[in-house]
Amino acid sequence: MESHERLVRWLLDGDPAVAWQVRRDLLDEPVATVEAARARVATEGWGARLLAEQDPSGTWGDALYSPKCTSTTYTLQLLRQLGLPRGHPAAVAGCERLLDGARWFDGGLNLAKTVGYPETCITSIVVAVAASFGVVDERVEQAVAWLLGQQLADGGWNCDTVRRGSTHGSFDTTILALEALDEWNAAMGPDPVAAAAAGRGREFFLEHRLYCSHHTGEVVSRNYLRGAFPPGWHHDLVRGLDHFQHVEAPVDGRLAAAVEVLRSWRRGDGTWAGGARHPGRYWFVLEPARGPSRVATLRALRILRWWQAPVPGTNAVHEADPIDATTSTTGAGRTERIA
């Protein structure tokens, strides 16, 4: 207990973007207290630094989508992940620039200048940030409808469905679509159609145990056995588990191997390291790649808290899945690229 309390105090001493989530996800503090702490994201630390980079036109880096890490799209995505409050005028202005600057195709959109068709990943990110920041625009609703129409028979989504006719879900595209639907449902209230689609999307991940081939059981890509932050457009084990805990999905034994991998990454001092970042030029580095990471530790602790909650009606918790999470990768499942 003392060790856990020490970790929590250490987390609370970090950036406001971490501290407010600790109060919500680990301490269950009252909503008013949590929201007061969350408000600091706009005025202090990482959130304030990102907001300061916005140019007078409402964009970041004078770019809607590329270069990725400093573009308006990915800066807004990071601000959403840090918890910038709903309705913040800078975020709303940025979202409006994305909606106005996009190329639209019957609800789907694209922000990449050289691509002449709708892009599922980009559409998902735009829906997620617009819904998160409270942008009311019929184009967002149309984009949600388009996303729902892109769901595949296996429950996943894939950017290559439009591009090449792919019929199997992509881990990277599916996690972005699920985050978009989660933000949409949170903003607009329960939507039975969107909720059902999200449930099928999570079942897609469960059938693949977040990162494995459902045919061979092998790890599809070593890139999925990581927890980089910010994650950008990439799926990985931690992002997937964090989604399940965030939506308070029922604990499922098919995720047990992923949880055991997460546990195995814990350092001797009780923290988790952030790990290597995805390539790219960032506005600034949130935390060093080596050494204890408050973001990684927060994410891990709240995932384990969700996982270790007693099974309803019993005192039991979920046991490990027999699948070996360290199985070698297979060349059959490449990491998808988005335009």
Side-chain angles (χ1 to χ4, degrees):
M1 181 65 70
E2 180 181 351
S3 177
H4 180 75
E5 291 176 354
R6 176 181 53 80
L7 274 180
V8 169
R9 288 196 299 271
W10 173 70
L11 291 170
L12 289 172
D13 286 339
D15 192 89
V18 173
W20 84 266
Q21 295 182 71
V22 172
R23 297 184 184 281
R24 180 191 65 182
D25 299 331
L26 301 183
L27 298 177
D28 299 321
E29 292 190 351
V31 172
T33 303
V34 171
E35 290 304 312
R38 183 176 186 174
R40 295 175 55 207
V41 174
T43 59
E44 303 174 37
W46 300 333
R49 290 180 66 182
L50 290 172
L51 291 173
E53 297 292 347
Q54 188 176 31
D55 56 54
S57 71
T59 68
W60 278 264
D62 194 29
L64 296 181
Y65 184 72
S66 183
K68 288 184 173 63
C69 298
T70 55
S71 70
T72 304
T73 300
Y74 284 92
T75 304
L76 284 171
Q77 184 194 55
L78 179 54
L79 285 167
R80 176 182 73 81
Q81 291 161 338
L82 296 179
L84 183 69
R86 179 181 177 86
H88 191 282
V92 170
C95 290
E96 290 173 346
R97 286 299 310 273
L98 295 182
L99 294 172
D100 291 341
R103 301 173 67 184
W104 292 89
F105 306 84
D106 298 322
L109 64 92
N110 207 322
L111 293 165
K113 297 178 180 179
T114 59
V115 181
Y117 49 79
E119 223 282 344
T120 315
C121 293
I122 297 174
T123 301
S124 295
I125 296 173
V126 171
V127 167
V129 297
S132 173
F133 293 124
V135 175
V136 179
D137 191 301
E138 65 179 8
R139 290 172 294 181
V140 180
E141 185 174 357
Q142 293 166 359
V144 171
W146 184 85
L147 278 178
L148 293 174
Q150 292 298 304
Q151 189 170 30
L152 298 169
D154 63 7
W157 285 262
N158 195 325
C159 292
D160 278 345
T161 298
V162 175
R163 184 185 302 154
R164 300 187 180 94
S166 298
T167 58
H168 188 282
S170 149
F171 295 168
D172 300 314
T173 311
T174 300
I175 193 62
L176 292 172
L178 285 175
E179 290 176 353
L181 294 179
D182 175 43
E183 292 289 0
W184 175 253
N185 278 320
M188 304 304 294
D191 178 336
V193 176
R200 293 193 298 274
R202 284 188 284 275
E203 181 62 26
F204 167 81
F205 271 128
L206 290 171
E207 290 179 355
H208 292 81
R209 289 160 170 81
L210 282 186
Y211 51 78
C212 296
S213 165
H214 66 295
H215 292 301
T216 67
E218 294 183 326
V219 178
V220 170
S221 169
R222 285 287 166 186
N223 288 330
Y224 298 141
L225 295 175
R226 62 189 302 177
F229 191 88
W233 58 267
H234 306 271
H235 169 69
D236 61 49
L237 176 153
V238 179
R239 190 176 194 173
L241 288 173
D242 211 19
H243 170 76
F244 275 81
Q245 74 79 24
H246 179 70
V247 300
E248 299 180 335
V251 172
D252 191 297
R254 288 171 289 181
L255 296 177
V259 172
E260 290 308 308
V261 173
L262 179 65
R263 282 192 177 118
S264 75
W265 293 343
R266 194 166 197 172
R267 294 157 42 93
D269 61 1
T271 67
W272 278 258
R277 291 181 295 275
H278 293 293
R281 294 185 63 184
Y282 295 83
W283 287 114
F284 53 88
V285 175
L286 299 180
E287 296 179 302
R290 297 184 179 182
S293 159
R294 286 184 169 91
V295 172
T297 301
L298 163 66
R299 297 170 85 198
L301 288 177
R302 70 186 176 196
I303 288 167
L304 293 177
R305 189 179 192 226
W306 162 75
W307 181 260
Q308 293 165 347
V311 177
T314 75
N315 291 321
V317 295
H318 289 264
E319 297 180 355
D321 188 291
I323 285 187
D324 180 3
T326 62
T327 307
S328 61
T329 59
T330 174
R334 64 182 175 83
T335 301
E336 297 85 352
R337 179 184 64 83
I338 67 172

